Amino acid sequence: VAVKEIVNGCLCCTKVGELADALRALRELGPHRILVEASGSALPGPLVWEIQKVSDIVSVDGVVTVVDCANFTRINNFSRTAKLQTKCTDLILLNKVELSGESLIESVLDDLHELVAECPKVRTKGECAVTDPAVIFGLDAALWRSSTGAGSGVAISPT
């Protein structure tokens, strides 16, 4: 597995220009998939728009948001960032469900439904957050389609 790390800055604002170069470098290795993992406070829109610059070699397969169920109520304030992240996501993965208990998970799901009712929400399994790749890949990214004019985060498929 090849890794290209962009450090010492925010990928969606101060370091966004480095993403296209990193994707070009990774593309030369011939991967089937490229995963872009941004921080918990990153905004997906600028990342998708930056990827558009290299749409001749990659496309966005989906924007996935991971929610820490065990700590969600403590950090959930429906901030502007949280609202933007959920509005731009194609899939929400519920992490740390085994530490949360069913009532807490239901509370998290209620809050997420209020933010983004139509987005699928999938529970991960175990301490390694196991998720079937078929659930994550092939999402037909709504944000990518809307930004390229093809229709109404980020897993990327080399074209």
Side-chain angles (χ1 to χ4, degrees), residues 122-145:
V122 176
R123 297 174 190 215
T124 63
K125 294 181 179 115
E127 65 181 52
C128 293
V130 176
T131 306
D132 182 353
V135 172
I136 299 171
F137 300 121
L139 292 172
D140 189 27
L143 183 59
W144 174 259
R145 287 185 289 110

Side-chain angles (χ1 to χ4, degrees), residues 63 91 99 126 131 143 146:
V63 177
L91 173 68
L99 303 175
T131 306
L143 183 59
S146 68

Side-chain angles (χ1 to χ4, degrees), residues 22-32 34 56-58 158-159:
L23 292 173
R24 282 187 194 94
L26 286 171
R27 177 67 174 127
E28 290 177 12
L29 300 173
H32 295 287
I34 299 171
D56 58 320
I57 62 167
V58 295
T159 54

Side-chain angles (χ1 to χ4, degrees), residues 75-85 115:
I75 61 173
N76 176 19
N77 63 1
F78 288 10
S79 68
R80 179 178 179 272
T81 300
K83 289 177 184 177
L84 287 171
Q85 284 177 329
L115 286 170

Side-chain angles (χ1 to χ4, degrees), residues 11-54:
L11 192 56
C12 70
C13 41
T14 60
K15 295 287 189 170
V16 71
E18 295 181 33
L19 181 58
D21 292 337
L23 292 173
R24 282 187 194 94
L26 286 171
R27 177 67 174 127
E28 290 177 12
L29 300 173
H32 295 287
R33 300 270 185 205
I34 299 171
L35 300 176
V36 176
E37 180 185 4
S39 72
S41 60
L43 299 175
L47 298 176
V48 170
W49 301 322
E50 182 68 13
I51 293 165
Q52 271 187 294
K53 294 178 182 177
V54 290

Side-chain angles (χ1 to χ4, degrees), residues 67-78 95 100-101 103-112:
V67 171
D68 178 344
C69 289
N71 294 301
F72 184 77
T73 53
R74 182 169 51 89
I75 61 173
N76 176 19
N77 63 1
F78 288 10
N95 194 22
S100 303
S103 64
L104 180 56
I105 295 168
E106 288 303 318
S107 174
V108 169
L109 284 169
D110 288 344
D111 287 345
L112 290 171

